[in-house]
Each structure stands twice: as C-alpha cells, then as structure tokens.
Amino acid sequence: PKAGMSRATLNPELLWIGAEYCYRLNPLADSSPSNNLSSVNQPRQHQNIRPVGQLESESMPDSCYGDDAAEAATCRVAAAAVKCDEIEEQLSGCQIDSDNRTGRYRLRLPIPSAFHKFLIGRHGDAKRRLEAETGVELIIPRMGDTESPVLALGRTKAQLASAKTRIELLLADARDRLPITHFLSISLAAESVRHRYEQFRDSALKWCGGDRGINDGVFQGAARLHVTCAPLLLLTSQEVARAKRLLDEFGRDRLPELMRVDSGPLTVSLSGLEIMNDDTSDTKVLYAQLCEPTGRLQAIANALADQFQSLARAQPGREGVKLHVTLMNARYAADSSDNRQNRSLSFDAAHLLSKFSNFDFGSCQPDSIQLSKSSSGTSKDSYYACEHRIPILPS
C-alpha cells in the first residue's frame, strides 16, 4: 500500500442495498487505532458511508497516484455522464418541475386511484419503505380523489428515477391482484341456444336441486351466454379508448384473414358438460364444451388475446385461450346473496354431471366481438353493457 493508506481504506467493508446499489463503509477520517476498534460496534448510520467509486478528497487526494489519478478521474466523469444519460432516459416524457419553496424536484405520476392502496400498504408500510429506500417524499391523493397525480419530491433526479422504477415494479405486481373491469366477449345467446339452456337449468334444478350448493343463484343468465377471449383491466378513460382502437385495428387488419370469408359464416355448437377442477363434489365452475370445426373461433380468440396482451388481466396458456361457455359458477351465488365475503363457495356437481353430461345446447352463428363491462350489475336478464363492438363478418 502507498504511504499513508490503511488496509481499511484500500479494502473497505461493503454495504449492498438491493441488487443495484453498493456502498463502502469508510473509516472515519479522525479515527485512531483505538477508535477504530470501538467503531466496529457503532451502528451503520454513524459510520462514514459512501457509494463505491466516490472517494473523499481529503483521504485520497489525486496527487497520491500521479498519472493514474487523471485516468481514474476521467473514468469517474465518464461513468457519471453515462449515469446521467440513464436517468434522463428513465424520466423521459415525465412531468418534472422544481418546488421553489423546498428546492426539490417534483415528479408528477398519473397513477389510477385503484393503485393508491398498494402504494400506501398496510398501515402505510409500503409508502414508508419506498420513501426510505429511494430518498423521496411521496404525496398520494386522498381517498375519493381520482384526478390528482401522485407526487414524488426529491433532492436529485436520480432519486426520482429510482422512485419511478420502484413504483412501476410495484404496480406491475399489483395489476395482477385487481379484479377485471372489462373483457372481450363473443355472445352465443341466440334464441335457440337460450331456449335449450333454460330447459337444462329447469331440469337440473328439478333433479339435482337438493344437492349441496345447487340453486337458481349459481346459474348463468340465459341472455349472458358467451365466450371470453381476453379479461382486461382498464382503469382510465385513456385505457378504454386504447382498447377501442385496438379492437378496431383488429377488425380491420387481422379479422378478415382469420375469418376466411369464403368459408362461410361461423357456426358454433355447444354440447356436453365439463368442470374446471377434478373434484366433481367440490365444483366452482361448470361449463359447456364448444365445437367449431374450422378452427376459426380458436384462431380469433388467440389473436385477440395477443392483440390485447398489454391490457390483459391474465395471459392465456401455451395452448391458447380455453374456449368455453360458463353455465354455473359458485361465485354468482356469492355475488347475489349475503355470502359476498365468502369466495370459497362451491357446489356438488357429481349427480348433475352423470345425468346431463351429454346435454346438447344447439348451435348459433355469432355476429360480433364486443368490449364488455364486467360491472354490468347483478341482473342476468340482459347481456353485458357494451363499450365497443365490431362485426365478425363484414356487412
């Protein structure tokens, strides 16, 4: 080691914060050997903590290294320039101004109010942790305020960039925990299918109404029989408008090729019953199987899921969208009764499946793809409210 350089200075203890930030715990400038011994047990916040690569001029002057110092300084300047470019790129397009009163930067984040609870956390824990780890102050709108942005106040733009990245990761995780607001649907509630479904429902209640959990509340409304192509989470008017544009683009650019108009209208048959789980005595969802021999319906559903991937609440599996028409769902009974808090309800479908496993619901020719609202009320007498619609076949 060069004269005057201690081993602790050349090879300091490192402190990692997450996987990105590394700090070195420098010995105090005025510490003697005896003081060094006692400082080992000092809390970390009382030690001289500096980011790796940031050297204090009084303890490591450039003159100690001669020509190497100039090269090291040049490297540090270049690294700082790269870091600044990265920060500017992270904050590109963001609304940032200066708070003259406090001398801090202010970043405005237009975050939908549905996410605010995730930023706050239980008893404010998430907010405090995020502020402590990034060095910013978060100002989150009060409950009921759906217009104001979330504000991040920081002394440097680096702090704002760090907070923005952390918030984006947190919201990406939270998005999968919110209920869907919309879905892409294809209605199969033609009159003939509705009539056959009502016969099935009446017969099922007559022969199986005494089985656990089977009552009128678990049945889907005849007017709402449909195929779901993609569940969506649209939290702002801008996201709804984007979904409408995507659906129009799909109808213009992809649907004609998928439909192969010369193959004739799309005919879908519904026959046979299946459940979503293996235990027939503990069933949550019972559905009708679909048959569409040309494969166009499956291709359309897969292409829609792909087109709306960025807005989707969940992604399809490797085999694509699972085409089915829900007939019975234990959740329907929970939604329409005093059991709203109990989402673990189920029903015993063993007897029903043995008696109606091959029930034929007939066929229909769907004519449109609809952007539907999931919160269309609890009434089952009409189809889901429509945000936007495109025809399956050109008029």
Side-chain angles (χ1 to χ4, degrees):
K2 292 187 179 289
M5 304 288 293
S6 69
R7 185 173 300 277
T9 300
L10 293 173
N11 187 24
E13 181 184 356
L14 299 181
L15 171 65
W16 284 89
I17 306 270
E20 299 180 2
Y21 300 100
C22 183
Y23 293 84
R24 64 193 186 101
L25 305 179
N26 292 336
L28 296 175
D30 60 350
S31 60
S32 62
S34 59
N35 287 338
N36 283 341
L37 184 62
S38 61
S39 68
V40 172
N41 296 319
Q42 290 182 1
R44 288 185 187 271
Q45 61 265 33
H46 297 307
Q47 297 185 37
N48 187 10
I49 301 177
R50 294 177 181 271
V52 170
Q54 180 181 338
L55 306 178
E56 64 279 13
S57 58
E58 64 272 17
S59 61
M60 299 187 73
D62 287 344
S63 58
C64 291
Y65 296 102
D67 293 339
D68 291 343
E71 183 179 350
T74 301
C75 291
R76 290 199 296 273
V77 171
V82 171
K83 188 68 174 177
C84 288
D85 289 342
E86 291 177 354
I87 291 171
E88 291 298 329
E89 184 178 349
Q90 283 181 281
L91 297 176
S92 175
C94 295
Q95 291 184 314
I96 301 177
D97 55 23
S98 296
D99 187 334
N100 295 328
R101 183 176 59 84
T102 62
R104 293 183 295 178
Y105 290 104
R106 180 169 51 202
L107 171 64
R108 300 174 185 271
L109 297 169
I111 296 174
S113 58
F115 288 120
H116 291 175
K117 61 183 179 182
F118 298 102
L119 289 177
I120 298 170
R122 187 185 297 273
H123 306 304
D125 289 346
K127 179 176 179 289
R128 283 193 294 272
R129 183 167 57 250
L130 199 153
E131 289 177 329
E133 293 177 353
T134 63
V136 303
E137 177 189 357
L138 282 183
I139 301 176
I140 300 173
R142 292 181 180 275
M143 183 178 295
D145 184 350
T146 60
E147 301 298 329
S148 301
V150 171
L151 300 180
L153 302 176
R155 297 187 309 278
T156 67
K157 288 188 175 182
Q159 290 178 329
L160 300 187
S162 176
K164 177 175 177 286
T165 299
R166 292 292 301 273
I167 289 173
E168 287 172 347
L169 292 173
L170 187 151
L171 298 189
D173 177 67
R175 192 175 185 89
D176 291 335
R177 294 152 62 186
L178 288 173
I180 69 169
T181 60
H182 298 72
F183 60 100
L184 296 172
S185 70
I186 298 176
S187 173
L188 301 180
E191 185 176 351
S192 59
V193 174
R194 291 171 62 172
H195 178 67
R196 288 290 293 162
Y197 170 69
E198 288 168 350
Q199 289 182 334
F200 160 76
R201 181 190 61 201
D202 294 344
S203 298
L205 288 172
K206 176 181 177 180
W207 295 101
C208 309
D211 296 343
R212 182 183 65 80
I214 294 184
N215 53 64
D216 187 62
V218 300
F219 285 86
Q220 174 66 287
R224 293 190 163 190
L225 297 175
H226 70 279
V227 173
T228 296
C229 299
L232 306 176
L233 185 63
L234 311 178
L235 297 174
T236 65
S237 58
Q238 291 82 2
E239 288 183 332
V240 172
R242 183 183 170 205
K244 292 179 180 179
R245 289 196 301 271
L246 285 174
L247 190 55
D248 284 335
E249 291 171 6
F250 181 84
R252 181 187 67 238
D253 302 333
R254 304 191 68 180
L255 189 56
E257 178 185 356
L258 294 168
M259 270 299 296
R260 303 192 301 273
V261 178
D262 56 341
S263 299
L266 197 67
T267 301
V268 181
S269 300
L270 287 74
S271 180
L273 304 178
E274 279 290 347
I275 60 174
M276 288 292 186
N277 56 301
D278 296 327
D279 188 353
T280 59
S281 65
D282 189 32
T283 299
K284 296 185 185 303
V285 177
L286 181 142
Y287 61 91
Q289 300 182 84
L290 274 71
C291 177
E292 194 283 297
T294 68
R296 290 179 292 173
L297 181 62
Q298 184 69 65
I300 290 171
N302 291 346
L304 280 168
D306 180 64
Q307 180 95 348
F308 284 79
Q309 187 172 13
S310 62
L311 296 174
R313 169 63 175 74
Q315 303 301 327
R318 291 183 179 180
E319 298 179 359
V321 177
K322 181 176 178 60
L323 297 178
H324 67 282
V325 179
T326 298
L327 306 179
M328 302 169 65
N329 191 328
R331 182 172 57 82
Y332 297 156
D335 288 342
S336 60
S337 70
D338 295 332
N339 295 317
R340 283 188 173 86
Q341 301 303 316
N342 186 357
R343 299 298 179 181
S344 61
L345 294 178
S346 63
F347 56 91
D348 186 348
H351 182 201
L352 187 149
L353 285 168
S354 66
K355 191 169 184 64
F356 300 100
S357 59
N358 296 317
F359 194 92
D360 184 5
F361 297 90
S363 61
C364 63
Q365 295 179 351
D367 60 2
S368 65
I369 301 169
Q370 177 174 307
L371 175 61
S372 304
K373 292 182 179 179
S374 62
S375 57
S376 301
T378 57
S379 173
K380 302 177 183 179
D381 297 331
S382 60
Y383 198 65
Y384 299 91
C386 176
E387 285 276 13
H388 198 51
R389 177 187 285 114
I390 60 170
I392 287 181
L393 285 176
S395 56

XYZ file of all heavy atoms in Angstrom, residues 350-391:
325
model
N -71.588 -33.782 -8.956
C -71.428 -35.195 -9.333
C -72.698 -35.769 -9.961
O -72.657 -36.365 -11.056
C -71.024 -36.009 -8.102
N -73.839 -35.593 -9.294
C -75.101 -36.118 -9.801
C -75.486 -35.423 -11.110
O -75.928 -36.070 -12.082
C -76.203 -35.923 -8.742
C -77.525 -36.478 -9.136
N -78.708 -36.061 -8.552
C -77.872 -37.413 -10.063
C -79.716 -36.714 -9.102
N -79.230 -37.552 -10.023
N -75.319 -34.121 -11.170
C -75.677 -33.352 -12.356
C -74.868 -33.803 -13.575
O -75.415 -33.967 -14.682
C -75.460 -31.868 -12.077
C -75.919 -30.852 -13.133
C -76.338 -29.554 -12.459
C -74.829 -30.574 -14.147
N -73.567 -34.015 -13.382
C -72.726 -34.446 -14.496
C -73.104 -35.833 -14.991
O -73.073 -36.105 -16.204
C -71.254 -34.412 -14.083
C -70.601 -33.029 -14.000
C -69.245 -33.118 -13.309
C -70.432 -32.439 -15.397
N -73.440 -36.720 -14.091
C -73.814 -38.078 -14.516
C -75.130 -38.095 -15.295
O -75.314 -38.908 -16.190
C -73.911 -38.995 -13.297
O -74.985 -38.605 -12.450
N -76.022 -37.161 -14.986
C -77.333 -37.152 -15.615
C -77.372 -36.318 -16.904
O -78.099 -36.648 -17.846
C -78.381 -36.614 -14.639
C -79.819 -36.808 -15.108
C -80.796 -36.499 -13.995
C -82.233 -36.796 -14.438
N -82.462 -38.229 -14.735
N -76.566 -35.235 -16.969
C -76.650 -34.308 -18.113
C -75.321 -34.149 -18.845
O -75.142 -33.166 -19.569
C -77.109 -32.929 -17.620
C -78.446 -32.914 -16.948
C -78.540 -32.897 -15.569
C -79.623 -32.930 -17.697
C -79.769 -32.882 -14.938
C -80.863 -32.914 -17.075
C -80.943 -32.900 -15.688
N -74.405 -35.093 -18.711
C -73.050 -34.915 -19.252
C -73.037 -34.685 -20.759
O -72.147 -34.008 -21.283
C -72.179 -36.131 -18.913
O -72.750 -37.310 -19.457
N -74.013 -35.201 -21.501
C -74.025 -35.061 -22.962
C -75.136 -34.141 -23.449
O -75.557 -34.238 -24.605
C -74.179 -36.441 -23.611
C -73.002 -37.358 -23.315
O -71.849 -36.925 -23.377
N -73.292 -38.603 -22.961
N -75.576 -33.235 -22.608
C -76.691 -32.361 -22.988
C -76.295 -31.507 -24.199
O -75.211 -30.938 -24.263
C -77.063 -31.444 -21.825
C -78.380 -30.757 -21.996
C -79.544 -31.316 -21.494
C -78.469 -29.545 -22.680
C -80.770 -30.682 -21.654
C -79.680 -28.898 -22.843
C -80.837 -29.471 -22.343
N -77.211 -31.413 -25.171
C -76.978 -30.658 -26.399
C -77.691 -29.309 -26.312
O -78.911 -29.255 -26.176
C -77.484 -31.450 -27.604
C -77.177 -30.762 -28.927
O -76.489 -29.729 -28.914
O -77.631 -31.270 -29.978
N -76.923 -28.227 -26.400
C -77.488 -26.881 -26.313
C -77.754 -26.258 -27.676
O -78.193 -25.107 -27.757
C -76.541 -25.969 -25.521
C -76.344 -26.398 -24.094
C -75.327 -27.274 -23.751
C -77.193 -25.936 -23.094
C -75.145 -27.676 -22.439
C -77.013 -26.339 -21.779
C -75.996 -27.211 -21.451
N -77.492 -26.990 -28.744
C -77.735 -26.472 -30.083
C -76.560 -25.685 -30.631
O -75.433 -25.773 -30.114
N -76.807 -24.893 -31.654
C -75.747 -24.137 -32.313
C -76.218 -22.733 -32.660
O -77.419 -22.436 -32.636
C -75.284 -24.859 -33.584
O -76.364 -24.979 -34.495
N -75.244 -21.870 -32.971
C -75.565 -20.489 -33.332
C -74.459 -19.928 -34.206
O -73.388 -20.537 -34.354
C -75.753 -19.630 -32.089
S -74.265 -19.485 -31.076
N -74.704 -18.760 -34.771
C -73.726 -18.073 -35.605
C -73.448 -16.690 -35.008
O -74.189 -15.738 -35.252
C -74.243 -17.942 -37.044
C -74.402 -19.274 -37.746
C -74.932 -19.137 -39.166
O -75.347 -18.055 -39.590
N -74.918 -20.236 -39.900
N -72.410 -16.564 -34.190
C -72.104 -15.268 -33.571
C -71.796 -14.214 -34.625
O -71.193 -14.519 -35.660
C -70.890 -15.573 -32.697
C -70.285 -16.802 -33.289
C -71.411 -17.601 -33.837
N -72.224 -12.980 -34.361
C -72.081 -11.938 -35.378
C -71.167 -10.786 -34.984
O -70.924 -9.893 -35.797
C -73.460 -11.383 -35.748
C -74.179 -10.781 -34.540
O -73.587 -10.757 -33.444
O -75.326 -10.351 -34.699
N -70.657 -10.760 -33.739
C -69.832 -9.631 -33.342
C -68.884 -9.993 -32.206
O -69.085 -10.984 -31.498
C -70.705 -8.443 -32.919
O -71.440 -8.762 -31.746
N -67.855 -9.153 -32.058
C -66.925 -9.224 -30.928
C -67.124 -7.938 -30.137
O -67.122 -6.851 -30.710
C -65.470 -9.328 -31.395
C -65.277 -10.576 -32.265
C -64.515 -9.369 -30.203
C -63.931 -10.609 -32.977
N -67.304 -8.069 -28.819
C -67.689 -6.914 -28.010
C -66.698 -6.654 -26.888
O -66.192 -7.592 -26.262
C -69.080 -7.147 -27.415
C -69.565 -6.046 -26.483
C -71.004 -6.247 -26.043
O -71.905 -6.420 -26.863
N -71.229 -6.249 -24.742
N -66.405 -5.377 -26.670
C -65.682 -4.948 -25.476
C -66.734 -4.714 -24.404
O -67.472 -3.728 -24.452
C -64.888 -3.671 -25.751
C -64.162 -3.029 -24.560
C -63.140 -3.990 -23.968
C -63.496 -1.719 -24.967
N -66.831 -5.636 -23.456
C -67.912 -5.630 -22.470
C -67.420 -5.137 -21.115
O -66.251 -5.317 -20.755
C -68.482 -7.046 -22.298
O -68.914 -7.577 -23.534
N -68.321 -4.528 -20.367
C -68.035 -4.120 -18.992
C -68.347 -5.277 -18.059
O -69.423 -5.863 -18.129
C -68.884 -2.912 -18.598
C -68.549 -1.623 -19.309
C -69.427 -0.501 -18.777
C -69.125 0.826 -19.431
N -70.009 1.901 -18.922
N -67.419 -5.581 -17.167
C -67.676 -6.675 -16.222
C -68.645 -6.243 -15.137
O -69.393 -7.053 -14.592
C -66.376 -7.161 -15.601
O -65.755 -6.117 -14.873
N -68.635 -4.955 -14.789
C -69.532 -4.451 -13.741
C -70.826 -3.953 -14.370
O -71.106 -2.759 -14.382
C -68.855 -3.318 -12.970
O -68.473 -2.289 -13.868
N -71.590 -4.878 -14.917
C -72.844 -4.519 -15.582
C -74.050 -4.811 -14.699
O -75.145 -5.074 -15.177
C -72.975 -5.283 -16.908
O -71.901 -4.986 -17.768
N -73.832 -4.796 -13.379
C -74.925 -5.091 -12.457
C -75.078 -6.592 -12.256
O -74.466 -7.406 -12.926
N -75.909 -6.951 -11.309
C -76.110 -8.366 -10.979
C -77.275 -8.980 -11.739
O -77.488 -10.180 -11.659
C -76.363 -8.532 -9.468
O -77.495 -7.720 -9.099
C -75.145 -8.084 -8.676
N -78.037 -8.181 -12.489
C -79.156 -8.716 -13.241
C -78.649 -9.619 -14.359
O -77.704 -9.274 -15.076
C -79.993 -7.573 -13.831
O -80.986 -8.092 -14.689
N -79.287 -10.768 -14.518
C -78.891 -11.720 -15.555
C -79.860 -11.697 -16.735
O -79.796 -12.555 -17.615
C -78.838 -13.136 -14.969
C -77.888 -13.292 -13.796
C -77.960 -14.707 -13.246
C -77.080 -14.889 -12.012
N -77.173 -16.264 -11.462
N -80.754 -10.726 -16.762
C -81.801 -10.711 -17.783
C -81.356 -10.084 -19.095
O -82.093 -10.135 -20.082
C -83.035 -9.954 -17.259
C -83.654 -10.634 -16.046
O -83.528 -11.876 -15.949
O -84.251 -9.928 -15.210
N -80.192 -9.452 -19.120
C -79.708 -8.833 -20.354
C -78.214 -9.056 -20.485
O -77.528 -9.394 -19.513
C -80.026 -7.332 -20.369
O -79.397 -6.687 -19.264
N -77.689 -8.846 -21.711
C -76.264 -9.065 -21.949
C -75.449 -7.959 -21.286
O -75.972 -6.919 -20.879
C -75.980 -9.111 -23.455
C -74.650 -9.745 -23.790
C -74.414 -11.085 -23.520
C -73.628 -9.003 -24.360
C -73.200 -11.675 -23.811
C -72.400 -9.570 -24.665
C -72.199 -10.912 -24.372
O -70.980 -11.497 -24.655
N -74.153 -8.162 -21.185
C -73.257 -7.213 -20.534
C -73.234 -5.886 -21.299
O -73.346 -5.859 -22.523
C -71.839 -7.786 -20.468
C -71.750 -9.072 -19.676
C -71.894 -10.309 -20.300
C -71.535 -9.049 -18.305
C -71.819 -11.493 -19.574
C -71.453 -10.227 -17.573
C -71.606 -11.442 -18.210
O -71.543 -12.605 -17.499
N -73.091 -4.790 -20.553
C -73.030 -3.468 -21.175
C -71.856 -3.396 -22.148
O -70.773 -3.914 -21.881
C -72.889 -2.397 -20.092
N -72.106 -2.742 -23.273
C -71.125 -2.709 -24.361
C -70.377 -1.380 -24.386
O -70.989 -0.311 -24.392
C -71.843 -2.942 -25.685
S -70.761 -2.822 -27.133
N -69.050 -1.446 -24.405
C -68.219 -0.263 -24.613
C -67.954 -0.040 -26.095
O -67.900 1.087 -26.580
C -66.874 -0.414 -23.890
C -66.917 -0.234 -22.396
C -66.845 1.224 -21.974
O -67.008 2.098 -22.843
O -66.622 1.464 -20.768
N -67.776 -1.157 -26.831
C -67.464 -1.060 -28.244
C -67.715 -2.430 -28.895
O -67.679 -3.456 -28.215
C -65.994 -0.655 -28.427
C -65.674 -0.122 -29.786
N -66.392 0.882 -30.391
C -64.694 -0.474 -30.685
C -65.864 1.155 -31.590
N -64.836 0.326 -31.776
N -67.956 -2.424 -30.197
C -68.278 -3.677 -30.881
C -67.789 -3.624 -32.333
O -67.818 -2.560 -32.957
C -69.790 -3.909 -30.863
C -70.256 -5.142 -31.610
C -71.775 -5.250 -31.706
N -72.363 -5.664 -30.448
C -73.140 -4.912 -29.713
N -73.432 -3.671 -30.082
N -73.661 -5.373 -28.596
N -67.325 -4.771 -32.838
C -67.002 -4.875 -34.267
C -67.714 -6.107 -34.816
O -67.915 -7.107 -34.108
C -65.487 -5.001 -34.513
C -64.918 -6.259 -33.835
C -64.760 -3.745 -34.064
C -63.481 -6.567 -34.228
N -68.137 -6.063 -36.062
C -68.805 -7.235 -36.660
C -67.792 -8.330 -36.996
O -66.643 -8.043 -37.331
C -69.456 -6.665 -37.919
C -68.578 -5.507 -38.296
C -68.104 -4.923 -36.996
